[in-house]
Amino acid sequence: MSVRLIICETCAHAPGEKLRDGRTGGEALLAEVERAARDAPGVAVERHACLMGCEHPCNAAIAAEGKIGYVLGRFAPTADSARALVEYAALYADSPTGQVPYRQWPQGVKGHFIARIPAPRADTAKE
């Protein structure tokens, strides 16, 4: 099953610092995540314009059909942050529910979770 690792491409580098070297923090993080995910089968990196977490950039979301989803933020747009996000996404992919035991979390994602989004329930889907 493919996991969507969605990076907010419009995030600032930090509150009040939108651009650095002509790129947003989100664009910088996206480039690092795309590099880190090259060897991560099943992790599909996507870009999205604004995840509405502007108070704590840089933001990412992780989602897959039938699984709980997550929004994470407060990342520096670095290779270390990207590796941690991709490593977590791979662990998420291996979980039937999307929940990964805390002891398995990469250090680089600890303290970065902002929201948990319940998976849609089949009994509430409209036909």
Side-chain angles (χ1 to χ4, degrees):
M1 170 187 289
S2 183
V3 170
R4 298 172 64 210
L5 177 52
I6 305 156
I7 307 300
C8 178
E9 67 183 352
T10 57
C11 275
H13 283 271
E17 185 187 2
K18 183 77 174 177
L19 298 175
R20 190 180 295 161
D21 298 325
R23 293 195 310 177
T24 65
E27 290 168 328
L29 181 60
L30 176 64
E32 294 293 344
V33 168
E34 287 174 336
R35 244 187 307 282
R38 284 185 188 142
D39 297 322
V43 177
V45 178
E46 299 177 21
R47 63 180 59 224
H48 188 73
C50 196
L51 289 174
M52 300 181 76
C54 302
E55 291 182 23
H56 33 72
C58 290
N59 294 284
I62 297 176
E65 187 175 333
K67 294 185 179 192
I68 194 166
Y70 296 96
V71 177
L72 300 92
R74 297 180 299 276
F75 287 103
T78 64
D80 288 340
S81 294
R83 281 190 297 274
L85 278 165
V86 171
E87 185 179 338
Y88 184 83
L91 293 167
Y92 173 93
D94 289 341
S95 167
T97 62
Q99 294 178 305
V100 177
Y102 182 80
R103 67 185 173 278
Q104 293 179 336
W105 292 9
Q107 187 62 38
V109 299
K110 292 178 179 178
H112 291 272
F113 285 81
I114 295 169
R116 180 176 18 206
I117 301 151
R121 293 187 348 213
D123 62 339
T124 60
K126 298 194 185 239
E127 295 180 18

